[in-house]
């Protein structure tokens, strides 16, 4: 009994060892036995198919997507620019003569009107020079009557000499006058003509003296006018005027004056957008510092591009009666342009294709997917306005990331309100 128990224990241990250490070989031995019985079972089941290829193939399942139909709408377009404000006028008022400032200075920020004195210079001896020029003018004018009288006297003597010449010639023809008398009368006529020419030259010299004296008076008066530098237009002083007692040379700065009403908005249009801007177009702007919206119109569009940036300068005139808009403020400018056909789609519907182009995926009548690139016009709270889509457009709004162009899908159409 004891030996039987030991043999049984050894057999059980060997079976367990084979099941753990030699499991593949054990399964192969058992499989060989099953394979031997396989032809009998196959013969008994004669209706069973012989190969898996005889089984019917299952139909390919299409991806389900959600689609919305979008129709194009006319959208007002605008050219958006970043620019700045610029004074309508800015002038440096400078001296035209040399003198000492004799007026108290005006402080920067002061409002001035056209013609208001800004800097007054000391006259010095300019007043005396003007009096002298006027005296010379009076003297030149007094010489004119004397010169005219001499011309008249010379002309009278010429007439007398001509009469004597005529009488001497007739008497000489009749033999009552000698040739000497005729020659003497001819010489008298020549002398009278020379006197007329001399008197006429004297009259011209007198008239030239009047013109020279008049020019001297005008020069002296203009020199005195230059002593007072006035505002060329209504505006604000951007700097203090020249200090009292300072010496100004020709070209010396008196003050800088700017005009802020109206004011200009200056921006630069890229060459891709320049054809959408026209003179007289309405424009709006908003300052970076805040405040009310500004409204004006385009008054200038450059015909020449900036060689560095390839952009075109555009100027917009905006009223500024209360002078709240300052020179040099940053502004965002929108210039009205012709409207375009666009679609309002959800921003989530946009995706990228394999080339990195931004667009949407659409389905056609055969439920085939296609990709259409788009250009973004404007971003709003209800969606994105885009261009480049056909009208109407069946856009995939859910599931567009799981399909590619050319595959067929199972679309579910949704209603959309724009």
């Amino acid at each position: 009994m004891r030996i039987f128990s030991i043999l049984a224990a050894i057999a059980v241990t060997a079976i367990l060892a084979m099941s753990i250490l030699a499991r593949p070989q054990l399964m192969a031995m058992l499989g060989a036995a099953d394979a031997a019985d396989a032809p009998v079972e196959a013969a008994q089941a004669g209706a069973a198919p012989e190969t898996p290829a005889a089984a019917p193939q299952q139909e390919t399942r299409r991806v389900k997507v959600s689609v919305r139909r979008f129709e194009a709408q006319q959208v007002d377009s605008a050219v958006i620019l970043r620019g700045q404000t610029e004074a309508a006028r800015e002038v440096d008022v400078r001296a035209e003569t040399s003198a000492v400032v004799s007026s108290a200075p005006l402080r920067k920020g002061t409002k001035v009107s056209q013609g208001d004195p800004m800097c007054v210079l000391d006259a010095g001896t300019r007043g005396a020079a003007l009096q002298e020029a006027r005296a010379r003018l009076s003297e030149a004018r007094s010489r004119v009557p004397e010169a005219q009288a001499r011309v008249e006297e010379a002309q009278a003597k010429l007439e007398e000499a001509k009469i004597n010449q005529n009488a001497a010639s007739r008497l000489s023809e009749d033999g009552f006058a000698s040739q000497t008398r005729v020659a003497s009368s001819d010489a008298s006529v020549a002398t009278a003509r020379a006197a007329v020419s001399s008197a006429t030259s004297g009259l011209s010299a007198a008239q030239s003296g009047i013109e020279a004296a008049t020019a001297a008076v005008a020069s002296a008066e203009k020199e005195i006018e230059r002593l007072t530098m006035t505002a060329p237009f209504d505006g604000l002083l951007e700097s203090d005027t020249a200090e009292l007692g300072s010496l100004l040379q020709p070209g010396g700065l008196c003050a800088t004056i700017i005009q802020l009403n109206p004011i200009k908005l200056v921006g630069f249009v890229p060459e891709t957008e320049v054809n959408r801007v026209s003179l007289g177009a309405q424009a709006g702007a908003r300052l970076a510092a805040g405040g009310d919206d500004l409204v004006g119109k385009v008054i200038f569009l450059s015909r020449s591009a900036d060689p560095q940036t390839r952009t075109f300068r555009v100027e917009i005139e905006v009223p500024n009666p209360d002078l709240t808009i300052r020179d040099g403020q940053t502004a965002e400018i929108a210039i009205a342009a012709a409207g375009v056909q666009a679609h309002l789609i959800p921003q989530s519907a946009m995706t990228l294709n394999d080339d990195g182009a931004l667009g949407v995926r659409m389905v056609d009548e055969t439920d085939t997917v296609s990709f259409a690139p788009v250009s973004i016009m404007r971003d709003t709270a209800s969606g994105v306005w885009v261009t480049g889509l056909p009208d109407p457009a069946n856009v995939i709004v859910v599931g567009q990331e799981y399909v590619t162009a050319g595959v067929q899908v199972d679309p579910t159409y949704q209603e959309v309100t724009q």
Side-chain angles (χ1 to χ4, degrees):
M1 293 294 294
R2 193 170 190 180
I3 296 174
F4 180 77
S5 299
I6 294 172
L7 293 176
I10 293 172
V12 171
T13 302
I15 294 172
L16 290 176
M18 290 182 63
S19 63
I20 295 174
L21 300 178
R23 183 180 180 84
Q25 290 80 356
L26 182 62
M27 295 301 295
M29 292 174 61
L30 296 176
D34 293 340
D37 298 335
V40 178
E41 295 178 357
Q44 294 176 355
E50 295 182 0
T51 61
Q57 297 182 354
Q58 295 184 350
E59 232 179 80
T60 303
R61 299 183 61 184
R62 298 183 180 181
V63 178
K64 293 185 177 182
V65 294
S66 295
V67 179
R68 290 185 186 177
R69 178 183 292 268
F70 297 96
E71 295 183 357
Q73 299 182 18
Q74 186 75 12
V75 180
D76 294 334
S77 179
V79 179
I80 307 299
L81 308 174
R82 294 283 292 182
Q84 65 179 13
T85 60
E86 187 176 291
R89 297 177 180 175
E90 181 174 355
V91 174
D92 292 334
V93 180
R94 299 182 180 273
E96 298 180 70
T97 186
S98 177
V100 176
V101 179
S102 60
S103 62
L106 300 176
R107 299 306 175 189
K108 51 190 171 185
T110 303
K111 291 183 179 181
V112 293
S113 300
Q114 183 178 1
D116 288 351
M118 299 170 58
C119 296
V120 180
L121 305 181
D122 184 28
T125 60
R126 291 175 177 83
L130 177 60
Q131 293 296 333
E132 181 182 359
R134 288 175 176 173
R136 289 181 178 178
L137 177 60
S138 299
E139 180 183 1
R141 287 175 177 172
S142 65
R143 292 176 180 175
V144 173
E146 180 183 358
Q148 289 177 343
R150 289 180 179 176
V151 171
E152 292 175 359
E153 180 183 4
Q155 288 177 347
K157 288 182 178 181
L158 177 60
E159 292 297 329
E160 180 183 3
K162 288 181 178 180
I163 292 173
N164 292 334
Q165 182 188 32
N166 189 26
S169 298
R170 289 183 179 181
L171 291 174
S172 176
E173 291 176 357
D174 295 337
F176 298 103
S178 63
Q179 292 295 328
T180 304
R181 184 177 177 181
V182 174
S184 177
S185 62
D186 292 341
S188 298
V189 171
T191 302
R193 285 175 178 170
V196 170
S197 298
S198 178
T200 303
S201 299
L203 178 60
S204 297
Q207 292 174 343
S208 298
I210 292 177
E211 293 177 358
T214 302
V217 171
S219 178
E221 291 176 346
K222 186 64 177 179
E223 186 69 14
I224 292 178
E225 289 180 6
R226 290 170 178 167
L227 297 175
T228 303
M229 284 163 273
T230 59
F233 48 80
D234 298 346
L236 295 173
L237 291 179
E238 192 65 12
S239 64
D240 294 343
T241 59
E243 188 59 59
L244 175 65
S246 60
L247 176 63
L248 288 184
Q249 299 289 346
L253 179 63
C254 168
T256 300
I257 181 174
I258 61 175
Q259 183 182 30
L260 297 179
N261 184 32
I263 198 168
K264 294 188 297 185
L265 301 176
V266 179
F268 293 88
V269 185
E271 58 183 332
T272 56
E273 301 285 340
V274 69
N275 289 334
R276 299 177 58 197
V277 180
S278 60
L279 290 177
Q282 294 295 318
R286 176 169 294 179
L287 300 178
D292 298 334
D293 293 339
L294 309 179
V295 179
K297 63 179 181 179
V298 178
I299 60 172
F300 173 76
L301 179 60
S302 175
R303 292 285 180 178
S304 176
D306 184 275
Q308 301 297 328
T309 61
R310 308 303 303 169
T311 55
F312 296 82
R313 180 184 175 96
V314 60
E315 296 181 2
I316 301 163
E317 188 178 78
V318 175
N320 187 27
D322 52 0
L323 306 182
T324 56
I325 307 174
R326 304 173 185 273
D327 180 24
Q329 288 186 272
T330 303
E332 184 177 2
I333 305 170
I335 303 175
V340 295
Q341 293 287 328
H343 295 76
L344 180 62
I345 65 174
Q347 189 172 7
S348 59
M350 293 189 296
T351 185
L352 299 175
N353 64 358
D354 295 338
D355 297 329
L358 180 66
V360 296
R361 289 191 171 94
M362 304 185 302
V363 296
D364 56 14
E365 295 79 3
T366 61
D367 298 336
T368 303
V369 177
S370 62
F371 181 83
V374 298
S375 298
I376 298 177
M377 283 186 55
R378 193 181 307 160
D379 191 3
T380 64
S382 56
V384 181
W385 288 100
V386 298
T387 58
L389 297 179
D391 186 26
N394 297 325
V395 179
I396 302 175
V397 295
V398 177
Q400 69 273 15
E401 301 293 346
Y402 302 103
V403 295
T404 58
V407 302
Q408 288 187 324
V409 294
D410 184 9
T412 301
Y413 286 86
Q414 301 178 0
E415 295 183 359
V416 60
T417 57
Q418 296 186 4

